[in-house]
Amino acid sequence: GLDILKQCYIALKNAKLHKLNGYAYFHPQMEEETTRRLDLVRRLRSDFLANKLEVWFQPQVSVNELKVTGFEALLRWPQADGSYIPPSEFIPLAEYSGLIVDIGAWVLEESCRALRELSTLCGRTLRMAVNVSIPQFRNLEFPNQVERVLQQYNIAEGRLELEITESIVMDDPTMVIEILKRLRSRGVGIAIDDFGVGFSSLNYIQQLPVSKLKIDRTFVQQANTSSGAVLVETISRMGQQLGLETIVEGIETVEQLNYFRQLKIAEAQGYIFAKPMPLAALKEMLELGQCSLSLLSTTPK
Ligand code: C2E
Ligand code: CA
Ligand code: CA
């Protein structure tokens, strides 16, 4: 009896998750999948507590001068065999289980510490972009956490940027706008990540205290089709007319870079400059390139 109840519960979860037509049959694979996910969450928790997670950094570059302007912090989960579980697989689990609240706080702190080191190395103030998830926003301590690390690492105004997605805003607009206002008043930049990919109303964009639009990689790939180009050009013009900074991510070729330069997009991020890498490798690369030249030739394999 207990087994059947458990299996019903798994099927029910599945029907809700996949928004099936109101019902789902139980299949043994569903149980295997649930067990696998639970196992991953357990391992993620213990690896986090054992300090085995890593924060890597990917440079952001000014399109005109090809100077490094900042970095995006990206979480990495190394495995014993040297491989990495992709963030697209474990971040949703970390969000679902609530683990992202503690992990996110740690990412924030590591990123600010790294920003200090990198700014010292380059002899000028740079910027650090950190991804934030919905459960972090729901945690009442979050704005205090941010203020604490800003103080602790003496991060100047405008140097820390939080990347949020449209779905965070739509989750609870009133609460999120309140928190964003508070963060902005402390000099924290807010970038809308994956802009244009969600289906949310454009109306919210002008009510939000955001400072930057981050044009998603899918638009870079579509820019060479005529309908794709219309979208890209509309988005970039809209950002500029609303007085927002703009950055494009996922730039891989010189043609793509030139295209966005001509659209007057200020900054870019992508494999053409550098892939995300550990802090030590990044420092080495910046030292070699004196933090300024095009990273095209110095990107490690
Ligand atoms: P995202 O925030 O959109 O991050 C950009 C992703 O694009 C990264 O994938 C980056 O490695 C990849 N990328 C950058 N340049 C290029 C390029 O030129 N070509 C291609 N094909 N890809 C490029 P990554 O590191 O696998 O991260 C995936 C997602 O996981 C991130 O997407 C973000 O949503 C999430 N994530 C990563 N770290 C964190 C974190 O610390 N906290 C939270 N909440 N989410 C994170
Ligand atoms: Ca991001
Ligand atoms: Ca993105």
Side-chain angles (χ1 to χ4, degrees):
L2 272 182
D3 279 348
I4 290 180
L5 275 176
K6 190 176 80 187
Q7 293 173 353
C8 287
Y9 184 68
I10 290 174
L12 175 65
K13 290 282 262 190
N14 220 270
K16 285 183 178 170
L17 189 67
H18 299 295
K19 303 208 168 48
L20 300 174
N21 290 334
Y23 66 89
Y25 289 106
F26 171 80
H27 294 293
Q29 302 95 289
M30 285 182 185
E31 192 163 6
E32 283 160 26
E33 179 56 25
T34 307
T35 314
R36 200 187 69 87
R37 285 162 58 97
L38 283 177
D39 180 56
L40 268 185
V41 171
R42 210 168 30 234
R43 286 206 296 121
L44 180 60
R45 179 176 291 116
S46 73
D47 278 5
F48 170 59
L49 292 175
N51 228 340
K52 288 185 181 161
L53 298 191
E54 298 171 3
V55 184
W56 287 21
F57 302 94
Q58 184 179 32
Q60 300 180 334
V61 175
S62 66
V63 168
N64 278 331
E65 301 165 289
L66 298 180
K67 264 187 160 183
V68 176
T69 51
F71 313 91
E72 178 177 2
L74 293 157
L75 195 54
R76 291 292 179 265
W77 184 13
Q79 304 298 297
D81 63 2
S83 67
Y84 288 83
I85 297 189
S88 54
E89 197 168 321
F90 74 83
I91 300 270
L93 291 178
E95 291 174 342
Y96 178 76
S97 62
L99 261 179
I100 196 70
V101 172
D102 287 343
I103 295 180
W106 173 77
V107 170
L108 185 67
E109 171 145 15
E110 287 297 299
S111 305
C112 289
R113 190 206 316 270
L115 179 60
R116 274 248 64 82
E117 285 188 35
L118 293 164
S119 300
T120 307
L121 179 83
C122 289
R124 59 191 160 91
T125 43
L126 296 159
R127 204 186 44 237
M128 182 64 74
V130 179
N131 293 288
V132 182
S133 299
I134 291 176
Q136 291 175 269
F137 263 89
R138 290 228 189 89
N139 171 17
L140 296 177
E141 260 302 293
F142 180 66
N144 297 333
Q145 262 172 20
V146 174
E147 282 162 21
R148 254 195 320 270
V149 285
L150 288 178
Q151 267 187 351
Q152 187 179 348
Y153 294 98
N154 199 14
I155 307 289
E157 203 157 292
R159 297 298 148 185
L160 174 68
E161 186 172 86
L162 301 178
E163 292 196 359
I164 63 171
T165 55
E166 297 167 78
S167 59
I168 292 196
V169 183
M170 302 326 276
D171 182 58
D172 186 348
T174 323
M175 175 202 69
V176 170
I177 288 176
E178 186 106 337
I179 296 180
L180 291 183
K181 278 189 181 148
R182 177 163 162 199
L183 292 168
R184 290 283 289 142
S185 73
R186 297 285 189 280
V188 176
I190 305 289
I192 300 275
D193 203 355
D194 306 339
F195 185 75
V197 174
F199 282 104
S200 32
S201 120
L202 277 183
N203 185 36
Y204 78 97
I205 249 290
Q206 47 169 347
Q207 301 170 22
L208 277 183
V210 295
S211 43
K212 188 183 274 186
L213 289 189
K214 195 165 191 187
I215 300 175
D216 191 66
R217 195 170 80 220
T218 49
F219 292 109
V220 177
Q221 287 150 1
Q222 290 167 16
N224 56 1
T225 67
S226 58
S227 58
V230 170
L231 284 179
V232 170
E233 284 161 29
T234 307
I235 289 177
S236 66
R237 204 162 335 119
M238 187 182 80
Q240 284 151 4
Q241 286 179 350
L242 288 172
L244 300 174
E245 297 169 56
T246 45
I247 181 166
V248 57
E249 70 180 331
I251 297 288
E252 293 180 356
T253 68
V254 177
E255 290 74 35
Q256 291 168 345
L257 182 64
N258 286 337
Y259 175 75
F260 284 94
R261 177 179 291 130
Q262 158 247 316
L263 286 183
K264 306 221 171 356
I265 297 290
E267 289 176 272
Q269 180 183 337
Y271 292 172
I272 190 179
F273 302 113
K275 291 188 170 175
M277 62 187 99
L279 183 60
L282 177 63
K283 284 163 77 174
E284 209 171 291
M285 192 191 75
L286 290 174
E287 247 164 0
L288 268 176
Q290 295 164 338
C291 305
S292 64
L293 68 134
S294 145
L295 303 169
L296 289 169
S297 51
T298 50
T299 299
K301 288 284 163 295

